[in-house]
Amino acid sequence: MARQTEKGAAAGAAVERLEDRALSRVLHHSTAQAVAKHLDLHTVGELLEHFPRRYLSRGQLTSFDELELGQEASIISRVVSVSTRSLHTRRGSIAEVLVTDQLEPSAQPLLPVPDAVPAPGGPRLDALAHAPAPDAASSSPGATMSLTFFNAFTAAKDLTPGDHVLFSGKVSEFRGRLTLTNPHYAVLSDLAAAGDPDEVPPPIPVYPAGAKFMTDRVSAAVAAMLSKVDLGECEDPVPADLRRSYRLMPAARAYEAIHRPRDEEEHHRALRYFRFREALVLQTVLARRAAALGRLHAPRFAPRSGGWLERFDAALPYALTGGQRRIGEEVAADLAADRPMNRLLQGDVGSGKTLVALRAMLQVADGGGQSALLAPTEVLASQHHRSIVSALGELAAPEGGLFEAEGVGVVLLTASMPAARRREALARIASGAAQIVIGTHALLGEKVSFADLGLAVVDEQHRFGVNQRHALGASEGTVPHQLVMTATPIPRSVAMTVFGDLAVSVLDEMPPGRQEVTTHVVSLAEHPAWEGRLWRRAREEVDAGHAVFVVVPSIGGEGNGGSGSRSRAGGESGQLQSVEGLSAALAAQPALRGVEVGELHGRMDAEAKARVMDRMVGGELRLLVATTVIEVGVDVPDATLMIIMDADRLGISTLHQLRGRIGRGSLPGTCLLVTEQDAQGASRPRLDAVASTRDGFELSRLDLEQRREGDILGSSQSGSRSTLKNLSVLKHPEIIEAARQDARRLVAEDPSLRAWPDLARAAARVGADEQTEYLYQG
Ligand code: ADP
Ligand code: MG
């Protein structure tokens, strides 16, 4: 730590960081240029951070079974034979190198090196890539592979039967067998064969490389750089005492061990360092933010006896669920304290989150404050407004009064409102006459002036970035309380990483009387005839007076059709995967004759959307073709059937949310996941999972297992230069937990982190492109 402090002092004099040094000053001119061109890396830091994707161990051959067509592969193979022959149509010759993935020469005679097979009409160059004898494919496939080199002279000189060679190239297919097109190679056999047999030769790093800049050239560039710079100068955000107590390497050794590990163990130790470092830096950012938040104050709203909340509870037609009561108490206590509440409420679709929010808003109203409820869409905002006014019943103040009226003032504010009504709404918000303000995030995030904003409720947080808390009414020193609601359960390690110190409440109990919803996967690939049955089924529901949703992944018009290609409902394919296309086709369906087909999609203006939803809720419109805009929260109590077209194109959580739109009233529902994929389709496990359970937490677990990290943390965290490269919020919760405690301790001891300048700098960089957006969408 002492060393860091000294370095910090030196850094004050604007000494260039080693990481910022241009590669052109370190590497040979042409190498630096190639690295810039092919890998887009320009500084020492960037190349240092360009970690190998994996490692190959010398002395082991890579099984050809692992190769995938089209992939850039690096493999270690044993050379079986090398032959050259001249080309007929071109000067020069080619070398054909037969390689195997078997260590020992097998007992069976190896495949003969095929003679040149002249292709009809003269050989084309690319067709020469691989020309096995006709019977070659049948005998022990995968055990040998023939590689073709146009630099025949050099290849024949470099490669000798028995050599172990690292080949890198694009996996292609020729005559039904795999090959690498014009591969790069590096001979390893001197290391494999010679040397001490007891000494394990070091692993070979395989870098993410471009087709024109293979892993061996990356290795060479890295080696050249490492020989030129003193890694001791590089930044080490992990304080020395933490390094010691966790037995982590210093940064310099960790970089060395990542790029040139002596053995596998060393590489793992380096990874441990980087994982902890990433966790520590991020947790430091969060801890500093939490500390800053902790210095803020929030207005206090103690429960008031005889107030709105009490009267509301007394009139409630049903009992609160256990979870609603417990979380209600937690929230009530938070609101009564002068620290801003920062709470995440997780609860599956239909678990009754809105009621928890409404009760909190009433407590704030009792204390004379205002609340804002932010919904992700206008449709949802209108719906919240409707259902809150109706839940309040007589407690709601009559609409329209500018001044204090007897009752809780509820105001809807949307972009599509006529200007006069909007002005009126704004006036009621500014005067404090509106105690509950409902709107879209986009709108309320703007400069709406509140008389006294005490609580912001953010519905369906997974649609928003985390930072939006700052947008809302955070004036100097005092901020509103915040309650964030999500139907997508988030594992603790993720919540800790993304939200920092958010308190998490889980509504794990469903209100009684939830209706049964049956879900089926309808594979049109397996049962083409079922398509007609879909629409007859829809007809039956409409005839029974029930509402039917048909969901399509895209709006249409832009030819963004997608995967399926069969034509449907007698129309043209592609078109039908859109709202416009499918609704036109449905209007022409004999089974649906006389049924009005409504449309809902994000490109419609808000008023048109609201009109359509009102007609659905009112029972006037019974069949709606929609995009996933209806995914969240839309409440049509008598909706009984949901047909999701091309369901394979949607993620688990989206499907689950969509299904949550039915079975909300007194009627059981059916959800049909329609797909063109058969039982072997890549997305079938996802669809089968959704069909197998309605438990959102279970589905979320399945969902997370299938996701990549970047999908969870949002785009800025997933790029090649992101904050979390080696750390997985799903796989390394213990590292995150440990780092969190350390970060909090460091920040508590020294809020400005003066003693740890490297950590301070790294945290500042992360905080600067502070985009810990939470894109937790399917
Ligand atoms: P979500 O968590 O998906 O937002 P909602 O808040 O929309 O769920 O609630 C779903 C439905 O359950 C609503 O119609 C609501 O009125 C009803 N509900 C909420 N709490 C209870 C309860 N304790 N008992 C019975 N019904 C309830
Ligand atoms: Mg809801």
Side-chain angles (χ1 to χ4, degrees):
M1 237 170 285
R3 204 188 107 237
Q4 284 209 356
T5 314
E6 282 157 33
K7 248 173 53 183
V15 174
E16 185 200 45
R17 290 166 69 238
L18 171 65
E19 285 86 347
D20 293 334
R21 193 169 303 161
L23 283 174
S24 55
R25 288 175 46 205
V26 175
L27 297 177
H28 187 273
H29 175 66
S30 61
T31 310
Q33 250 185 356
V35 169
K37 179 168 172 221
H38 298 296
L39 303 176
D40 193 25
L41 304 174
H42 310 273
T43 63
V44 169
E46 287 170 5
L47 187 53
L48 276 177
E49 287 290 326
H50 189 67
F51 285 8
R53 191 156 34 97
R54 61 199 182 98
Y55 300 82
L56 298 173
S57 42
R58 293 175 206 249
Q60 273 176 29
L61 301 184
T62 320
S63 167
F64 293 160
D65 292 343
E66 292 171 19
L67 297 181
E68 275 173 45
L69 209 59
Q71 157 207 59
E72 297 290 344
S74 288
I75 58 173
I76 299 179
S77 309
R78 183 169 58 84
V79 175
V80 177
S81 63
V82 180
S83 66
T84 48
R85 59 190 168 77
S86 49
L87 288 165
H88 302 293
T89 55
R90 193 171 171 259
R91 282 202 294 153
S93 53
I94 60 167
E96 290 205 347
V97 177
L98 195 67
V99 299
T100 176
D101 60 1
Q102 317 273 286
L103 264 183
E104 296 299 319
S106 65
Q108 296 196 332
L110 284 158
L111 298 174
V113 181
D115 289 335
V117 182
R124 280 184 27 245
L125 273 183
D126 54 348
L128 276 172
H130 177 131
D135 62 335
S138 56
S139 61
S140 100
T144 61
M145 184 157 73
S146 165
L147 309 174
T148 306
F149 294 87
F150 294 104
N151 53 343
F153 177 73
T154 334
K157 179 167 66 71
D158 291 345
L159 304 175
T160 318
D163 280 352
H164 286 196
V165 180
L166 172 67
F167 293 104
S168 304
K170 186 164 187 156
V171 182
S172 51
E173 196 179 18
F174 186 71
R175 301 221 171 143
R177 299 192 58 196
L178 295 183
T179 186
L180 301 181
T181 306
N182 229 349
H184 264 242
Y185 57 81
V187 180
L188 313 169
S189 52
D190 40 355
L191 285 140
D196 185 347
D198 291 339
E199 199 166 300
V200 182
I204 299 165
V206 177
Y207 287 92
K212 295 215 170 79
F213 200 73
M214 292 294 180
T215 180
D216 53 328
R217 293 186 64 193
V218 183
S219 289
V222 169
M225 171 180 74
L226 291 180
S227 72
K228 278 285 184 53
V229 302
D230 173 11
L231 285 184
E233 287 172 36
C234 67
E235 193 177 271
D236 197 341
V238 183
D241 64 338
L242 285 183
R243 256 185 2 239
R244 268 192 299 275
S245 64
Y246 292 119
R247 298 163 45 82
L248 297 170
M249 313 168 150
R253 272 202 50 211
Y255 277 124
E256 190 54 64
I258 277 289
H259 291 289
R260 298 193 290 201
R262 276 192 297 248
D263 50 37
E264 219 174 293
E265 215 252 293
E266 198 185 42
H267 150 243
H268 282 298
R269 288 190 51 210
L271 268 184
R272 245 171 31 91
Y273 166 83
F274 285 109
R275 283 180 187 142
F276 182 78
R277 166 174 164 159
E278 289 169 13
L280 183 70
V281 170
L282 193 54
Q283 292 301 328
T284 300
V285 174
L286 297 172
R288 294 182 91 174
R289 205 180 299 155
L293 222 57
R295 289 190 287 273
L296 297 173
H297 295 274
R300 306 175 58 148
F301 301 100
R304 187 158 64 88
S305 74
W308 299 121
L309 178 55
E310 263 193 26
R311 289 165 66 185
F312 176 79
D313 283 348
L316 202 62
Y318 42 71
L320 298 178
T321 63
Q324 284 171 327
R325 189 171 318 112
R326 177 173 42 81
I327 295 167
E329 281 162 15
E330 290 169 359
V331 170
D334 284 355
L335 293 175
D338 84 329
R339 296 282 169 223
M341 170 170 77
N342 193 18
R343 188 173 287 278
L344 177 69
L345 171 56
Q346 301 183 359
D348 204 351
V349 179
S351 61
K353 295 184 289 295
T354 315
L355 187 64
V356 174
L358 177 55
R359 294 184 67 249
M361 295 193 286
L362 289 174
Q363 181 174 334
V364 169
D366 278 336
Q370 292 173 294
S371 301
L373 171 56
L374 285 66
T377 65
E378 290 216 354
V379 168
L380 265 182
S382 319
Q383 183 179 296
H384 270 311
H385 179 250
R386 243 194 327 266
S387 66
I388 282 175
V389 167
S390 111
L392 286 174
E394 328 190 299
L395 299 183
E399 280 260 10
L402 239 185
F403 303 100
E404 295 280 343
E406 182 51 19
V408 181
V410 186
V411 149
L412 175 67
L413 186 70
T414 65
S416 60
M417 268 160 69
R421 269 187 59 206
R422 185 156 166 207
R423 260 197 310 277
E424 188 197 319
L426 286 169
R428 294 182 69 201
I429 296 168
S431 76
Q435 279 113 327
I436 295 178
V437 180
I438 302 161
T440 55
H441 176 267
L443 201 64
L444 288 182
E446 284 169 19
K447 294 207 178 347
V448 172
S449 103
F450 287 86
D452 190 3
L453 182 62
L455 167 67
V457 179
V458 184
D459 195 18
E460 309 295 352
Q461 167 70 32
H462 64 296
R463 296 238 160 185
F464 296 138
V466 172
N467 299 332
Q468 279 151 7
R469 81 142 25 248
H470 305 295
L472 239 185
S475 59
E476 285 302 301
T478 306
V479 292
H481 297 283
Q482 177 164 281
L483 179 66
V484 170
M485 307 198 287
T486 175
T488 315
I490 301 158
R492 183 175 151 73
S493 60
V494 177
M496 256 176 359
T497 309
V498 181
F499 293 110
D501 66 335
L502 213 64
V504 179
S505 302
V506 181
L507 260 185
D508 46 9
E509 199 179 324
M510 284 292 174
R514 196 162 81 130
Q515 295 302 320
E516 203 49 51
V517 172
T518 345
T519 307
H520 301 284
V521 178
V522 177
S523 166
L524 298 182
E526 291 163 18
H527 308 280
W530 284 5
E531 182 172 357
R533 277 169 61 185
L534 287 177
W535 311 126
R536 286 198 292 280
R537 186 79 180 69
R539 177 71 196 226
E540 286 164 23
E541 294 301 324
V542 172
D543 284 347
H546 303 153
V548 176
F549 289 115
V550 182
V551 177
V552 244
S554 76
I555 300 172
E558 284 167 1
N560 43 356
S563 61
S565 57
R566 271 168 25 93
S567 72
R568 280 206 202 103
E572 276 173 34
S573 79
Q575 272 288 304
L576 296 176
Q577 289 155 14
S578 70
V579 169
E580 288 160 5
L582 187 64
S583 60
L586 291 189
Q589 264 288 313
L592 293 171
R593 185 160 314 154
V595 176
E596 183 190 353
V597 181
E599 288 183 19
L600 186 77
H601 55 73
R603 244 193 262 144
M604 286 160 61
D605 69 48
E607 211 178 322
K609 274 190 272 188
R611 224 174 15 245
V612 169
M613 283 318 295
D614 282 346
R615 294 185 63 220
M616 275 300 269
V617 174
E620 222 179 299
L621 181 64
R622 299 283 72 184
L623 180 70
L624 183 64
V625 180
T627 53
T628 54
V629 293
I630 61 157
E631 173 189 337
V632 277
V634 171
D635 207 351
V636 179
D638 54 6
T640 51
L641 177 63
M642 168 153 303
I643 300 175
I644 305 177
M645 310 301 287
D646 289 315
D648 47 273
R649 289 171 63 190
L650 300 172
I652 286 182
S653 71
T654 303
L655 292 170
H656 179 62
Q657 293 276 331
L658 284 169
R659 175 172 56 182
R661 300 304 109 221
I662 52 171
R664 289 176 82 82
S666 56
L667 299 162
T670 305
C671 177
L672 302 177
L673 308 175
V674 183
T675 173
E676 301 272 351
Q677 295 192 348
D678 58 20
Q680 274 69 51
S683 305
R684 266 305 271 277
R686 210 161 66 211
L687 300 185
D688 291 337
V690 174
S692 73
T693 177
R694 252 177 113 191
D695 179 341
F697 280 62
E698 177 61 28
L699 285 173
S700 172
R701 234 183 334 271
L702 288 167
D703 195 15
L704 282 168
E705 279 167 17
Q706 296 182 8
R707 278 164 187 268
R708 283 171 305 118
E709 210 73 6
D711 301 333
I712 298 165
L713 289 183
S715 48
S716 68
Q717 295 289 356
S718 60
S720 62
R721 289 166 203 175
S722 71
T723 323
L724 301 190
K725 282 199 326 184
N726 302 288
L727 183 74
S728 157
V729 288
L730 298 178
K731 288 189 215 127
H732 309 118
E734 14 20 86
I735 299 180
I736 293 173
E737 182 71 61
R740 172 179 154 96
Q741 285 175 21
D742 293 324
R744 297 192 142 222
R745 183 176 52 77
L746 295 177
V747 169
E749 276 173 24
D750 179 2
S752 63
L753 298 177
R754 205 157 314 161
W756 304 288
D758 284 5
L759 178 59
R761 232 188 331 261
R765 272 200 306 276
V766 172
D769 49 58
E770 153 55 7
Q771 296 293 328
T772 5
E773 297 157 53
Y774 195 60
L775 306 177
Y776 200 67
Q777 266 282 115

